[in-house]
Structures are given as structure tokens and as C-alpha cells.
Amino acid sequence: MLDLIYVHVDITSNAVLSKGITHTDFVQSVVHKPKNLLLLNPYTEDGEYERHSGLKIIRGEDSVNQNFSSINRRRKNEEIKWMDFSDMAMLKELTPLEISELLYFGHTKTSLHSPFFYKLQNNFVFFEFADQMTRVYYRYIDEFYRILADKISAVVLELLNDKKSFFRRNISIDKMSGELLKEMKPILQEGVVFSFDNVEERGKELRIPIHMIEDSLWKTKNTAYKEDPVIASLVYNSAKRTWHFEETEEPLGIQFPKHA
């Protein structure tokens, strides 16, 4: 059972740093499926060598899907680093300066300029590294809210079925909408933990506390984050099959959307 999900959204670069959302979760929920991949790890054994850029590539949706399935099965220690791109001809138009930027991006996981290259028309830049941490750049940030909603829904479904009695059949739930998480954008920009090992049951409601820890990622390796304020709760009502969130505080001037 997953203990927590950490999320920090940078609205300037559309980068999301997270813990608990894996490459598998991304692949299962993403809508704009990558057509081709430029692999930003120059030492990877995957893909075919592309002479102009000096990097490995994977061409075509079928090959990309096969690669993703292979990654999810083997789970090597090798870091996952890739950028999608739309057209082989434009890849060959990259300048030496643009190629050096790509190499720097792959090494530092931080872009010198925009993470979205005009010639590549990329929608994503994906990095997964140790401790279930990912940093993903989204051209369309709504993709992330959908992925996070699917992941939280899956965890809550597992929680509810773990709690049911032996003689009851499996419980189903209605998936959360990504639109609800978009309303939570003000707190997701602060760096928060959704704590699943401290879920509270109140009648038919399952309440997930949300702690603000900002960029103190070390707190996710133990229970230190529980000492930070609970600024909101994400609530699933199993009788009404509805999701909502409730703010408990507004620290640091955070302004939540006002509901009618």
C-alpha cells in the first residue's frame, strides 16, 4: 500500500516534482501518447543510435509502447530520461547549440531555456530517479491533473477494499476528476503530501489529510511530514460516490477557490 504522494507544481516551467507517481502511472493515464522518443541517457542500451544528435531514439507509437512495457517489467536501476518528438526530419535540423542544451537537460534535469523545443514539438520531458521520484515537464499541465486523479483514485480503491470484511464483495468507486485537482492548484504549488497512512474514516467519508512541506523532500522518507500543518483534506464519500476537498487553514496567504 502506498503511504504518500508528494506533489510540487512549478507553474512557470510546467514542471511537476512528485513522489509516488511512477512511469507506469504516467503511461496508463496520459492522453497525448508519445509518437517518438529521444532518450536523454547517452548510455542507455535501448533504442537506435541517431547520428545527428548523438543520442538514441525510438521511432513510432508501437515501438514506444513496447519500450514502455519493457521498462515497466524490468525496472532496472538505470534512470528513465526521455523527451518525445514529432518528426524525424526536424530532429535532424537541430543545431549544435540545441543538441548541447539537450545533453545539459538530460544531465541536470533542468532546462537552460524552455523545456519545449520548437523543432521537436515535444509535449513531455520525463525523468524518473531514485525513491519513486519523478520530474516531468508537461506542455499541457492538465495531463498531470488527470494522472494524479487516476493515481489517488486507485490508492483509495485499494484502501477501501483492504478495509472491507472477508465476506463482502469488492468495492468500486467513482474516479476523481482532474478538474477537482485543478481547483487545488494553489496548494500544489507549495509542495504537499497526500498522507494515505493517516486516513480518517467518518461514517461514509474517507478523509485524506494534506500536509504542506514545501521542498523538504527528506520528510517523505520518514514520518517527519506529519509534524507539518494539515492545510486541507481530500474527501471521498462512498455513499454519494463523490469527491471534494476541504481547506482547514490558509497559511502563507494561500487563497483557495471559493465554492458556490
Side-chain angles (χ1 to χ4, degrees), residues 93-104:
E93 294 296 321
L94 289 172
T95 66
L97 180 59
E98 289 168 330
I99 293 169
S100 67
E101 285 186 23
L102 286 169
L103 292 172
Y104 177 86

Side-chain angles (χ1 to χ4, degrees), residues 16 35 78 85 90 150-151 168 181 205 233 248:
V16 179
K35 298 178 180 178
E78 177 184 309
F85 68 96
M90 292 304 291
D150 285 355
K151 181 66 174 185
R168 288 174 59 196
L181 291 171
E205 287 189 344
S233 294
T248 55

